[in-house]
Amino acid sequence: MPDAKKAAGFRGRWAWIDLTNRTARVEPADPGYCQDYVGGRGVQARLLADHLEKTGPLKNPLGPRNRIIIGNAALNDTVVPTAGRGSCSFVGTMARSPQPAAWVPGHKPVYGLVTHSSAGGLFPNMLKRAGFDQVIIDGRADRPVRLEVVEGSVRIVDAEDDLFDEVQGRRVPRAASLITDFLAARVKGASTLTVGPAGWNHVDFACLTADYHRNFGRGGAGAVFGSKNLVAVTAYGKDAVAYEDAEAFKRFGVEIDKLVKASVDDPNRTASFRPTTGTTWWLDRAFDGRYLGVKGGYLPWHNFDEGAFDPADYAKVSTDAFLAISGKHHVCNKCRHIFCTRSAKVEAGPYAGDGVRPEFETIALWINCCVLDRDAIFHMNALCNELGVDTMTFGSVMAGAMELAEKGFLAKFGNAPGFGDAAGMARTLKDIAYRSNDLGLLLGRHSDRAIAEVAAGAAPGAVSDIAKCLTTAYGGLGYAGINPKAFPGMFTAYGTSNRGRGDHTYAWTIQAEEGGLKESRDLAAYVAEGQAGKALVDSLGLCDFFTGDITAEPFLSLYSALTGIGYTPESLKACGRRIYALERRMNNLQGRDRTYDAFIPPKLKVPLSRGAHQGQAVDEAFYNSVLDAYYDAWGWSRSGIAGKA
Ligand code: SF4
C-alpha cells in the first residue's frame, strides 16, 4: 500500500453538508482514502460505507438518513482525454423490493442498493475548480434549498420562487434548462446540477441533470435530492490543477494522447466510430451485425420477447436515421478525440426542436417499446432531460406497462399506451414526472410496489401474470439495450451489477462472447474482472470510452506525476477489487444476496422465436453455474456474501 501522504492532483478538501441542521463545514480530505480508494466512486463508496456501518441498513432511501455524495477525482480537469466525468453515490430508490413479493421465488427484502452514477459535461470539473473533491450531503432541509459551491466556500441558500412552477396545483421545480439558466445568471460562468420535477416528486428512476443534458442517470439520484428538499448545486471556481511533477505529467500526457488518437484512427477499433455515430453504432451492430459485429439479432423488441424484427421498420430508427438529424460535436469538458456526442435537430413536425442526439441505450430501449418514430424518440429524450427522468429505466418500465395494457391489467389506471404508441408514451412521461394521474403515480414507483398495486383487486393468481410483464420486478433497474437472452455472460453482468439488475456499465461482455467466450468459469472471471476495472475507471474520473490501459505504463507514471502516488499494476488493480467488494458488502447489509442475483424474470426464459439467436433464452442451470464461478472469482461465499477485502 502506498504511503498515506497528501496527494497532489486532488483538491484535498471535502464539504460536509447537514441539511437538517443547515450547516456546511469544510474539512481536509483523508489522504489514505485517496490512495486506497483512488477517488470519485471509490472514495464515495468508502464514505457511504462509513455512514451505513454506523447507522445500519437504510430501509428507506427516501428518508433523511440517505447520504448522497457528488464529486470528482485526481485526473479531472487535466488534459487526459475524457477527464471530465464526475461521480454521484447514494443508496438507490429503484433497485429495491422492501415488501414481501409472492412473485419472486424465495423473496428476501432488498432495501435499496449502493448506487454510483457517472456524468460528464462541465459540472464535475467546475466543482474541482471551485475547490472541492467531494460534497457529502446528509439530512433533509425543512424547506426547499440549493447549494452554492463557489471559490472555496459552500453555502446553503433558500431556493428562490423563480425556480418553481405551479403545475396541476402542485409546486414543482421548473424544467432543468430554466433552472440552469436562472442560476447561471446568478453566478456568472457557473455550472449547475439540478433536480427535475420527477425527482421532486420522488419518481424512483429520477435523475439529476448537469449542464442541460448530462445526467447522473441511473438509480434515482433525483429522487434522493427531492427527498432532501434540495433543488440544485451550483459550482464555480478558477483553481487550476496542482501537479506533483508538471513536466513529467506533460510528457506522459502527450504519450497517452497519441495512444487514444491512434485508437480512434484505427478502423478496426470500435473507438473509430464514436466521433461520427457516438454510441448509436451499436444499433446497427445489435440489429444485423454491422460495425464489426458478428450477426446481430439482439436488439430488443416487444419487451424483450424478440431480438429481431422487420428490417424496413428498423431503417426508420437505425444508426443512419439518427445520423441524419445529427449536427456538430457537443462533448464533455476535456474530451479529446473520442467525441461521442453530437447536437441534433428535428426541423419540422410535432416533434420539431433542438437538442442532442439520443444515446444507443435510450433508442434501443424505446425500440423495445416498438416505437419506430425517430423524431418522437428525439423529442422524448429532450423531455427526459428537462423533467429529470432516466431514459433507460423509463424505457424498461414503459415496455412493461405496454404489455400490461395489452393484457388488460391497467384498465383501472386510465389511458395507458400500447406498444408502438409514441405520442401516448410521451404523454405518460409527463404524467409520471408530474404525478398527474393514477397511471403516472403507479409507473413512477419501483416495480414491486407497482406490481402489488396492479394486483390489488385483480383475480386471485393474477399477480404472477402481472409480474411476468415487468422485467424490472424484484428490484430491477431495467435491462439495458442488448437482449439478455442472447448472451449468458452479459446476463451475468446484468444480474450481478452492484447498482442493480439490468445495469450494463459495470461489466460488458458482448465482444468477448461474440469472439467465442462461453465456458462458465471464463464468463464469470471476465465479468468479475470487468467490474473491478470499471470501478477504477469511475474512480479516476474517466469515461467508459477512454481507450488506454489504466493499469499499465505510461498511465501509471502519468498518475504518479500528477499525484505522487506510485501504484503498480497489481496495487491499482487491488484498489478496483477493494472498491467493488466494499460496495457489495454494503449491498449485503441492504439485504442483497444470491436470491437477488439469481432471479430471472420469467419472460427471459422464453426462447427467441426468430433471428440469428433464434431458440436462445436464459438457461437457469447454466446461469447458476456461472454464478457459482462468479462468487468463486471474487472470493465470496456461494450465497453471495462478500468477506472483508
Ligand atoms: S467520449 Fe463522450 S461521454 Fe466520454 S467524455 Fe467524450 S463526449 Fe463525454
Side-chain angles (χ1 to χ4, degrees):
M1 196 76 61
D3 287 344
K5 75 176 178 86
K6 182 183 181 307
F10 295 96
R11 281 284 167 261
R13 301 167 85 234
W14 294 345
W16 295 82
I17 312 297
D18 178 341
L19 292 173
T20 304
N21 295 308
R22 213 174 162 116
T23 59
R25 66 179 205 277
V26 177
E27 291 196 351
D30 182 326
Y33 280 19
C34 299
Q35 293 183 12
D36 296 352
Y37 297 92
V38 184
R41 172 175 162 186
V43 167
Q44 293 182 353
R46 186 62 260 170
L47 291 166
L48 266 183
D50 291 350
H51 183 58
L52 289 172
E53 281 166 353
K54 209 183 302 165
T55 61
L58 178 71
K59 296 204 170 169
N60 177 14
L62 292 171
R65 247 196 333 110
N66 203 352
R67 166 175 285 182
I68 188 163
I69 311 168
I70 51 177
N72 48 59
L75 281 169
N76 281 121
D77 213 24
T78 69
V79 296
V80 173
T82 80
R85 304 287 304 196
S87 287
C88 177
S89 298
F90 52 98
V91 174
T93 52
M94 185 66 193
R96 61 175 160 150
S97 180
Q99 300 298 327
W103 48 92
V104 176
H107 178 271
K108 290 181 187 166
V110 172
Y111 298 114
L113 300 179
V114 166
T115 303
H116 169 268
S117 196
S118 162
L122 174 61
F123 182 83
N125 286 351
M126 191 56 92
L127 192 63
K128 189 168 184 178
R129 289 174 207 170
F132 294 91
D133 296 326
Q134 306 292 343
V135 178
I136 303 137
I137 304 165
D138 290 317
R140 172 187 285 154
D142 61 359
R143 54 190 182 277
V145 295
R146 62 183 181 84
L147 299 180
E148 270 187 16
V149 187
V150 177
E151 299 192 300
S153 72
V154 186
R155 289 200 310 143
I156 304 170
V157 183
D158 282 335
E160 294 84 347
D161 284 342
D162 309 70
L163 298 179
F164 290 86
D165 271 336
E166 189 89 3
V167 180
Q168 295 160 358
R170 272 195 303 273
R171 193 168 181 257
V172 289
R174 304 178 80 189
S177 64
L178 298 174
I179 289 188
T180 304
D181 287 345
F182 177 84
L183 293 175
R186 285 272 153 127
V187 185
K188 291 266 180 278
S191 176
T192 287
L193 175 71
T194 186
V195 72
W200 202 251
N201 285 330
H202 300 182
V203 170
D204 278 323
F205 47 92
C207 63
L208 293 171
T209 304
D211 307 310
Y212 302 99
H213 63 85
R214 294 285 173 182
N215 300 290
F216 290 117
R218 302 217 80 191
V224 177
F225 255 45
S227 73
K228 294 187 173 305
N229 260 328
L230 182 56
V231 180
V233 182
T234 297
Y236 177 72
K238 291 187 219 152
D239 280 1
V241 179
Y243 300 86
E244 177 79 7
D245 180 342
E247 273 310 304
F249 183 87
K250 204 169 161 187
R251 220 170 44 246
F252 294 120
V254 169
E255 262 185 72
I256 283 176
D257 198 75
K258 277 188 195 153
L259 289 172
V260 172
K261 183 167 185 323
S263 72
V264 173
D265 290 342
D266 179 351
N268 294 313
R269 299 278 303 267
T270 55
S272 64
F273 314 136
R274 290 216 163 84
T276 312
T277 67
T279 50
T280 64
W281 61 273
W282 269 104
L283 291 166
D284 281 2
R285 180 176 179 134
F287 187 75
D288 60 15
R290 268 174 283 169
Y291 289 102
L292 306 182
V294 175
K295 52 190 177 181
Y298 50 86
L299 191 60
W301 177 256
H302 201 274
N303 196 17
F304 295 104
D305 283 345
E306 298 299 340
F309 53 100
D310 184 348
D313 280 340
Y314 172 67
K316 299 172 194 163
V317 285
S318 66
T319 302
D320 281 349
F322 280 92
L323 202 50
I325 60 166
S326 301
K328 291 184 177 155
H329 286 135
H330 198 295
V331 300
C332 303
N333 187 245
K334 301 294 179 184
C335 187
R336 286 173 60 73
H337 309 304
I338 305 172
F339 293 152
C340 80
T341 317
R342 284 179 180 269
S343 62
K345 183 171 190 161
V346 168
E347 297 280 357
Y351 302 120
D354 286 301
V356 290
R357 178 176 55 195
E359 301 289 340
F360 158 72
E361 295 291 354
T362 303
I363 301 166
L365 289 168
W366 296 356
I367 289 174
N368 191 36
C369 299
C370 306
V371 169
L372 296 167
D373 184 333
R374 176 199 61 190
D375 295 355
I377 291 173
F378 163 82
H379 169 73
M380 284 191 284
N381 184 63
L383 257 184
C384 282
N385 287 334
E386 290 289 28
L387 301 178
V389 173
D390 172 30
T391 58
M392 291 179 65
T393 299
F394 172 63
S396 294
V397 165
M398 283 311 303
M402 287 169 173
E403 187 164 339
L404 285 171
E406 196 174 73
K407 293 183 172 161
F409 287 120
L410 292 186
K412 68 179 178 183
F413 293 94
N415 189 14
F419 283 105
D421 178 0
M425 189 164 155
R427 183 188 67 233
T428 307
L429 170 57
K430 289 187 205 157
D431 291 343
I432 291 171
Y434 288 111
R435 301 165 72 194
S436 310
N437 50 33
D438 289 347
L439 183 67
L441 268 169
L442 176 83
L443 299 180
R445 291 174 173 149
H446 58 279
S447 289
D448 294 275
R449 181 160 170 183
I451 292 166
E453 284 190 28
V454 176
V463 69
S464 62
D465 292 333
I466 292 164
K468 271 182 199 158
C469 298
L470 290 165
T471 57
T472 44
Y474 197 19
L477 204 53
Y479 290 92
I482 300 292
N483 199 315
K485 296 178 185 181
F487 295 99
M490 198 63 219
F491 188 75
T492 309
Y494 284 145
T496 59
S497 168
N498 273 348
R499 66 179 184 173
R501 187 181 311 100
D503 168 59
H504 67 296
T505 61
Y506 282 11
W508 180 260
T509 67
I510 306 306
Q511 285 94 327
E513 290 191 77
E514 287 192 325
L517 197 74
K518 59 173 192 253
E519 299 303 326
S520 55
R521 278 209 169 272
D522 297 337
L523 292 171
Y526 194 88
V527 170
E529 195 180 325
Q531 290 170 337
K534 178 59 165 51
L536 278 182
V537 169
D538 288 335
S539 303
L540 288 163
L542 297 177
C543 170
D544 283 7
F545 305 146
F546 179 76
T547 50
D549 183 347
I550 55 174
T551 58
E553 294 298 348
F555 190 88
L556 296 174
S557 292
L558 171 115
Y559 197 76
S560 174
L562 171 63
T563 62
I565 299 174
Y567 292 117
T568 63
E570 293 71 31
S571 68
L572 187 55
K573 282 180 190 168
C575 289
R577 289 181 66 83
R578 184 179 302 122
I579 293 161
Y580 203 80
L582 178 63
E583 292 174 343
R584 176 76 186 194
R585 284 212 304 281
M586 292 307 101
N587 283 341
N588 290 152
L589 190 71
Q590 289 295 105
R592 181 177 189 167
D593 64 15
R594 186 180 184 126
T595 314
Y596 179 92
D597 300 344
F599 178 71
I600 304 170
K603 66 164 40 228
L604 298 185
K605 297 180 191 169
V606 179
L608 298 165
S609 72
R610 53 183 161 154
H613 292 274
Q614 187 176 356
Q616 278 186 251
V618 178
D619 179 320
E620 191 163 2
F622 184 71
Y623 177 50
N624 270 297
S625 75
V626 186
L627 264 187
D628 283 344
Y630 170 82
Y631 296 137
D632 292 350
W634 272 108
W636 302 341
S637 78
R638 289 269 176 104
S639 56
I641 304 299
K644 262 212 165 333

